[in-house]
Amino acid sequence: MAVNLGINIDHVATLRQARLTIEPDPVAAAVLAELGGADGITVHLREDRRHIQDRDVELLRQTVRTRLNLEMAAAPEIVDIAVRLRPDQATLVPERRQELTTEGGLDVVQAKAGLQKVVSRLKDAGIAVSLFIDPDPEQISAARAVGADQIELHTGPYAEVSLRPGRTQPASIDDRLRGRFVPGTDQVAAELARLESAARQAGALGLILAAGHGLTYWNVAPVAAIDGMHELNIGHSIIARAVLVGMERAVREMKEAMGGAVR
Ligand code: PXP
C-alpha cells in the first residue's frame, strides 16, 4: 500500500517571520503542496509562535482539502486551540524553548497520567491522536496504554547517521537528485533495524504507524519501505528544494523518492 506523505510547512512560515511580513504565506504553500500530491499538511503551532501563527492554523482548517495534522505540545493553551479548531489529527511532541527543532521523542512512560488526559480530551473532540516517540519498546507500549491512535517514530537518529559526510554518501549527485540512497554503514543498518522492530510492535498493538524528522530525498526510501508504514511527515528537505524548484515539483519528487526503495 502506498505510504502517505504529510508536508510540514513550518519553514514557509519561518521565512515569513524572518521579516515579520505577510509572505510567503503557508496557506498558499499548502494549496500548492496538495496540487503536487501531498496527502496531508502538517504545522507545528509552538507555544513561542516562532513560525506558525494562530491565524495560519485557522485558515488552514478552512482550506486544507486533504488532512490537517496539528503538531503540538500537550500544553493547556494549545490543547484548547486544537479542540476549538478540530484538525483531523493532532501529533503530540515535546517542546523546549531553545531547541532549533523538535529534539527527541515524547517521554510517554514518564508523563503517562497527564498525556492520558490530553489524549482523551482530543479524541473526545473527534481528533485522531498521534504521539511522536523514539523507536523504544517501552514508549510504544505506553503510547498504546494512553489511548493513542497512531505513533510517529522519530527518525532523527537514523537521519543523523545516514547523512554524515564521508560515512554514507549517495552514490552520485544524480542518485541523490533521484532520491536513490545507498544504505552503507552498520550504524544506518542498526537504526533501520530499530525502526523495523518498532514497526512490528506497533502493528501487533494495533497502532497506526508514521515516521518523520530529518528525512530527505536520499534517505527516505528505506523508511518508506518499512512494513506497515502508513505516513511520513517531512518538512525541511522539501521546503529547501521548493525554494529552488517550486513546491509542486518538490512534493512530486519526494513522492517518487518514497517509491524508489533500495534495500
Ligand atoms: N515530525 C515531527 C514530529 C516534527 O517535529 C518534525 C519537525 O517539525 C517533522 C516531522 C519534520 O521534520 P523535518 O523538518 O526534519 O522533515
Side-chain angles (χ1 to χ4, degrees), residues 177-191:
L177 289 173
R178 286 174 199 284
R180 284 198 294 257
F181 168 75
V182 185
T185 69
D186 291 349
Q187 276 176 300
V188 174
E191 291 300 338

Side-chain angles (χ1 to χ4, degrees), residues 52-85:
I52 291 293
Q53 306 297 306
D54 298 54
R55 162 267 186 208
D56 301 329
V57 189
E58 296 199 12
L59 287 177
L60 287 166
R61 174 62 297 185
Q62 295 168 44
T63 53
V64 165
R65 289 286 165 264
T66 51
R67 289 183 87 235
L68 179 62
N69 173 28
L70 182 64
E71 254 186 52
M72 51 182 276
E77 182 219 350
I78 307 289
V79 176
D80 286 347
I81 293 172
V83 167
R84 181 167 60 80
L85 294 180

Side-chain angles (χ1 to χ4, degrees), residues 8 10-11 71 93 101-102 132 152 212-215 233-236:
N8 181 317
D10 291 350
H11 290 304
E71 254 186 52
V93 299
T101 179
T102 312
F132 180 60
E152 179 174 331
H213 214 282
L215 295 177
N233 281 301
I234 308 181
H236 185 269

Side-chain angles (χ1 to χ4, degrees), residues 11 47 209:
H11 290 304
E47 289 182 270
L209 183 67

Side-chain angles (χ1 to χ4, degrees), residues 144-160:
R144 177 77 181 81
V146 301
D149 302 291
Q150 173 173 310
I151 54 169
E152 179 174 331
L153 298 175
H154 185 10
T155 49
Y158 162 76
E160 266 288 304

Side-chain angles (χ1 to χ4, degrees), residues 10-207:
D10 291 350
H11 290 304
V12 177
T14 301
L15 188 55
R16 177 190 62 191
Q17 296 310 111
R19 287 292 173 91
L20 297 177
T21 178
I22 58 167
E23 63 182 2
D25 192 331
V27 179
V31 172
L32 292 170
E34 288 186 328
L35 287 173
D39 301 293
I41 300 296
T42 297
V43 288
H44 185 175
L45 184 68
R46 293 184 68 103
E47 289 182 270
D48 62 12
R49 307 296 200 275
R50 72 167 69 153
H51 38 53
I52 291 293
Q53 306 297 306
D54 298 54
R55 162 267 186 208
D56 301 329
V57 189
E58 296 199 12
L59 287 177
L60 287 166
R61 174 62 297 185
Q62 295 168 44
T63 53
V64 165
R65 289 286 165 264
T66 51
R67 289 183 87 235
L68 179 62
N69 173 28
L70 182 64
E71 254 186 52
M72 51 182 276
E77 182 219 350
I78 307 289
V79 176
D80 286 347
I81 293 172
V83 167
R84 181 167 60 80
L85 294 180
R86 296 177 193 238
D88 300 284
Q89 180 175 306
T91 300
L92 297 177
V93 299
E95 216 175 89
R96 297 180 196 92
R97 278 295 135 112
Q98 300 306 325
E99 67 191 358
L100 280 181
T101 179
T102 312
E103 293 167 358
L106 269 181
D107 190 346
V108 189
V109 174
Q110 193 251 318
K112 217 167 177 177
L115 279 174
Q116 197 149 20
K117 288 198 190 100
V118 172
V119 170
S120 29
R121 187 148 177 242
L122 292 166
K123 284 176 74 169
D124 286 349
I127 304 166
V129 180
S130 182
L131 302 183
F132 180 60
I133 56 174
D134 293 331
D136 173 297
E138 282 187 48
Q139 297 295 343
I140 297 166
S141 301
R144 177 77 181 81
V146 301
D149 302 291
Q150 173 173 310
I151 54 169
E152 179 174 331
L153 298 175
H154 185 10
T155 49
Y158 162 76
E160 266 288 304
V161 292
S162 68
L163 279 181
R164 195 160 294 163
R167 300 259 177 114
T168 306
Q169 291 287 9
S172 67
I173 293 294
D174 182 57
D175 275 349
R176 180 181 287 215
L177 289 173
R178 286 174 199 284
R180 284 198 294 257
F181 168 75
V182 185
T185 69
D186 291 349
Q187 276 176 300
V188 174
E191 291 300 338
L192 269 177
R194 277 179 78 203
L195 293 166
E196 283 164 344
S197 156
R200 282 192 293 275
Q201 186 185 352
L205 292 173
L207 289 161

